[in-house]
Amino acid sequence: MSLVVPRSVRRPLPRWVEIGVLPLVNVALAFLVVGIIARIIGVDSFHALKLLLVGAFGSSESIGYTLYYATNFIFTGLAVAVAFHAGLFNIGGEGQAYIGGLGCGLAVLALDRYLPGPLLILLAILAAAAFGAAWAAVPAWMQAWRGSHIVITTIMFNFVASALMVYLMVNVLIAPGSMTPQSRGFADSASLPSMQAVLKSIGIAVAPSALNLAFVLALLSSVAVWIFLWRTSWGYALRTMGHNAEAAIYAGTSIRRMTMLAMCLSGALAGGVAVNELLGVHHRIVLDFPAGYGFAGIAVALMGRSHPLGIVLAALLFGALQQGGAELSFEIPAMTREMVVVIQGLVILFCGALAHLPRPWLQALFGRRG
Amino acid sequence: MQSLTAAAAAIELRGIDKSFGAVHAVRGVSLAIPRGSITGIVGENGAGKSTLMSILYGLYRADAGQILIDDRPVDMASPRDAIAHGIGMVHQHFMLVDTFTVLENLMLGAEGGPLLAGGFAAARAELARLGREYGLSVDPDARVADLSVGEQQRVEILKVLFRGARMLILDEPSAVLTPQETDRLFEILKSLRARGVTVVLITHKLREIMAVADRVIVMRQGAVVAERLTVETSTGELAELMVGRKIRLDLDKAPAERGQTMLAARGLSLVDRRGVRLLDGIDLELRAGEIVGIAGVSGNGQTELLQVLSGIRPPTAGQVEVCGRVIDPARPIDPAEMRALGLAHVPEDRLRQGLVAAFEASETSILGYQDQPPYCRNHLLDAPAVGRHCADLMQRFDVRPQTPGLRSSHFSGGNQQKLILAREMSRIPKVLLVGQPTRGVDIGAIEFIHRELVKSRDAGCAILVVSVELEEILSLADRILVMSGGRIIGEVAADQADERALGRMMADA
Ligand SMILES: Nc1ncnc2c1ncn2[C@@H]1O[C@H](COP(=O)(O)OP(=O)(O)OP(=O)(O)O)[C@@H](O)[C@H]1O
Ligand SMILES: [Mg+2]
């Protein structure tokens, strides 16, 4: 960790190029490759691109779905980023979201007969966060006190979460008389209002979609994460630990406690997926609702440079790919769902692993005297 | 001037210019370094010495100018080019892989083929030869993390020699060496010179320049302001050329007025997990209004003593009492609580402990105090207050450039040190622990830092200074403790001590 990287390895670009232009060039490169592949399988790439864009942004309904998917990506992207700022690689967003859903669902199932809607929803959100945090706390504890590496344990905890949920859904929480492993439906009072309903109440008419108030919660969480990381002494200590653990010890930060704090926050944020999915859409506990969002969060955080604003933008891109890609494979059968996954993979490749590929060209373009 | 550059130049720089944003670090530098000579480069912190050498080594690209090696213009696009042209560099900050052994570090980038075994055997033999020839002995199988700072330095030098460099750049190589090790290094440099190797040596220790260099180049604010043959100059003249004014390093301080005991250690011991006794029954007392100096060859427990006294590591036996709070194995403390008691700590290793390289200077300026008002209320940081605080520290301690928004790693070594000192001293602590207060700091700043320390002492602060610079200990301390093998082996009143007597005590142990 103490190896000093020569200061020149990354020559500085102007900040606006770094934040604004570089990611765009990365996305453009990814789409260039996608276009070439589309050609090879005999699809008109411009037509496909148009379908993708229209599918993602063409109507208020498609925009709604894009934002609904983006909500999940924001939560998991933030989850990965918070841990990452502490120098921790949380691969367990998937499991934390899943167990967050358990907490959320249990809270509603236990209380929806007694409590009024707003209070119920608030408690359910807190339960989602608390259960997500608890599921992250175990690997954190094992690293802080026992030295088991968090990357390994969080991966394993995804499987444990999945197995646990299957067991609970099939044996315990299944609705009486039901053939599918899902819980009884939540009372209507436990539903997060859909965005359509909210906008309608202030006089804006949009088509119905899965978009619900969890999107607002995700945006608020982004702001909160920014404030936490850069404007509180806890965030300061957390980032210190991530950059230089020895300096953190010197400053009086307990590495153990900070590891716990960072992971719990991370898990709590991952729990947000459950809020969007269960309170917003399914209105019951269902199997497999995290559907890979936890893993995608790593790419979102990577692409968003672990900054909340970048994460929101990256999440929008991923949401658009998800929604537009679905439309695309519907319209052009040759562009199968697998192709959409390939597109996502290419975006991740060019924005993450190859993010610095265009750097020399941009340096030549935008001068080094910046 | 002409005569200085008459010999065939191994390295020639023409009109080198380099800016970092608004900072004009190197301004049109032209110079020639004759083959087979030792050339010193001196200058204030931030004068651009390291930057200039980084350009020569291909780490930075100059905005303008030309580099000539053996009279041929070359393009130094990366260190790889520099190495190909026979240039080796030993950095101010080590560039070793901590978890690798000495041998593995040596071979990094020179593995000699995809299968390591052959390379290892050859490297081992070569290392033994270098060790014999230059007296630079290091255990090839030791992990770098387990080596003392001085030993790591030797590995760095060995690494460059291992690659057969004909031109050697050393950036403050002696900053971390003991006097004995420094003498040995200079013997090596002289024997290298005898074999035609060209040496460029950056240092803040003017006496070293006088002792080992043939010529010296003085830099100020990015430009070369003078060139001298060492036989024709003096430390006084050099200091004045560097700073632009006369320097007085003799501290005329009043005798200490010792007050209450602020820190007392009794039977303090520290045994690590492998059972090595790092501290062994340390007794020591520190009173308000005095400076106690700890002298000793580095690696004799000074680092661990600072760690225990500052609360970073709990002792395994014995106790420390700080401002009335007793710390022992059963009642450990953490550094934050220590700070709350009024203890401040300037760590020995600024890059590893004292700052966060990726943080802005303003963020570094509150490290350890991030919970304290006025920077923070109810856990909310007040960014403007932090910025003002940092600007204030920079002003008072003359940290350059005075840019709170600049990344901490973009400050020159000496300026990083000044920022850390400023941070710790500005809190007006009751007890101040200082490790290597002026490591890598220029002569003008040394004068300043020493005066500030004495001022704090006179204001009633109890100060413990650990330094490998005997001269520094002698001029700063009121009492001197000599440490060896984790124990305090003697105490001398400063006015009765001299360098030779202390050196003997350290050696006899
Ligand atoms: N990567 C960088 N980005 C911005 N500024 C830099 C960078 N590197 C160096 N500087 C600035 O350039 C100037 C020269 O720095 P340099 O490290 O060369 O000084 P130096 O002479 O080696 O000082 P010292 O004796 O303290 O090591 C300083 O003002 C420093 O802050
Ligand atoms: Mg330097």
Side-chain angles (χ1 to χ4, degrees), chain A residues 8 51 71 78 99 145 162 193 231 250 256 280 284:
Chain A
S8 66
L51 283 177
T71 305
L78 290 175
I99 298 299
W145 271 270
S162 173
R231 285 293 179 269
Y250 160 81
R256 288 177 168 170
R284 50 164 48 89

Side-chain angles (χ1 to χ4, degrees), chain A residues 2-4 6-8 11 230-234 236-237 239-240 243-244 246-247 249-253 369-370, chain B residues 59-60 96 98 335-336 339 345 351-353 355-356 358-359 363 367-368 370-371 379-381 383 409 423-424:
Chain A
S2 63
L3 183 79
V4 181
R7 290 185 285 202
S8 66
R11 298 214 188 93
W230 280 282
R231 285 293 179 269
T232 70
S233 56
W234 295 305
Y236 177 99
R239 287 183 299 121
T240 304
H243 283 297
N244 182 344
E246 273 198 62
I249 295 170
Y250 160 81
T253 302
R369 290 174 181 268
Chain B
L59 281 170
Y60 291 145
L96 298 173
D98 274 4
R339 279 194 188 86
H345 173 204
L351 271 181
R352 274 198 202 174
Q353 294 195 313
L355 55 76
V356 179
F359 275 8
E363 292 177 290
L367 183 67
Q370 66 267 17
D371 291 319
H379 290 287
L380 276 183
L381 290 179
S409 62
R423 177 183 73 210
E424 299 303 322

Side-chain angles (χ1 to χ4, degrees), chain A residues 341-359:
Chain A
V341 175
V342 169
I343 298 177
Q344 279 183 351
L346 282 167
V347 170
I348 294 173
L349 184 68
F350 277 93
C351 298
L354 301 179
H356 299 289
L357 186 73
R359 187 172 282 272

Side-chain angles (χ1 to χ4, degrees), chain B residues 38 182-183 186-187 189-190 193 201 203 205-216 230-231 233-235 238:
Chain B
I38 299 180
T182 306
D183 289 344
F186 290 169
E187 290 312 310
L189 295 186
K190 284 175 181 163
R193 173 177 61 186
L201 176 70
T203 177
K205 299 176 190 167
L206 300 178
R207 287 198 321 190
E208 294 182 350
I209 292 279
M210 302 304 287
V212 71
D214 308 308
R215 309 158 58 260
V216 54
T230 37
V231 290
T233 186
S234 65
T235 53
L238 290 178

